Amino acid sequence: MTDPARFTLVALLVQAALGVAGWFGAAAGPWPVRFGARPLASVAVGVGVGAAAAALMRWLLARQPAWMEALRRTVDDQLVPTVGRLGPGQIVLVSVAAGIGEELCFRGWLQPLVGPVVASLAFGAAHVAGVRTLALGVWATIMGGVLGALVGPTGGIGASMTAHTCSAMLAFQYLRRRAAGEAGGRVGW
């Protein structure tokens, strides 16, 4: 098990590096990073899509369809023991950092450069840490496609940043509740 403070620090450093790479990568090209044509609408769309994505994942994990077995094992064996130990403040920090850093890199820089399909594949690959997490990479690739699809209609990455942050926050809280339940405790938010 990874110490929650160490996990948080590493996550923040990785997300900062992705954000800086995305910002400067986009600045070097002809595609300026834009939050969105209508910022409040972008945030509203992002909250809705993020909540829907987290709800879908939770629903799928609860129904346990056979094709989700590999992802369920990844959640149980890798994510619950690690991410499930984060406190509420750590969940917020890591979620916001992921929403900003990863979206600047993958939607703000890579997507205009290589297109949404390749950017989504790269996003999925970034979530793979070995064979045991391939299923998470597949889910992340699908989510990368969803997040990438928000950029055009909203005029920027604000909706994808917000959706990413919301879905991560809800998913991490779900993992935290799972970890507390397995330890016989209750966890609030």
Side-chain angles (χ1 to χ4, degrees), residues 11 22 44 54 78 103 106 141 146 168:
Q78 304 284 318
E103 294 310 305
F106 293 101
T141 300
V146 170

Side-chain angles (χ1 to χ4, degrees), residues 5-124:
R6 179 176 162 79
F7 178 88
T8 301
L9 177 62
V10 170
L12 293 175
L13 291 172
V14 168
Q15 299 308 331
L18 288 171
V20 168
W23 183 263
F24 286 107
W31 337 271
V33 174
R34 298 183 203 279
F35 189 81
R38 296 177 45 212
L40 290 178
S42 293
V43 169
V45 168
V47 168
V49 170
L56 175 62
M57 173 59 88
R58 189 171 181 175
W59 183 81
L60 287 169
L61 290 171
R63 299 304 172 277
Q64 301 185 6
W67 59 271
M68 288 281 293
E69 179 59 31
L71 185 55
R72 190 171 41 258
R73 275 195 315 271
T74 299
V75 167
D76 292 341
D77 299 344
Q78 304 284 318
L79 300 178
V80 169
T82 304
V83 180
R85 297 177 60 220
L86 297 178
Q90 292 166 318
I91 288 173
V92 171
L93 277 173
V94 172
S95 298
V96 170
I100 294 170
E102 293 180 19
E103 294 310 305
L104 278 170
C105 184
F106 293 101
R107 256 57 69 194
W109 173 39
L110 283 181
Q111 185 165 310
L113 182 66
V114 298
V117 173
V118 175
S120 296
L121 290 168
F123 181 72

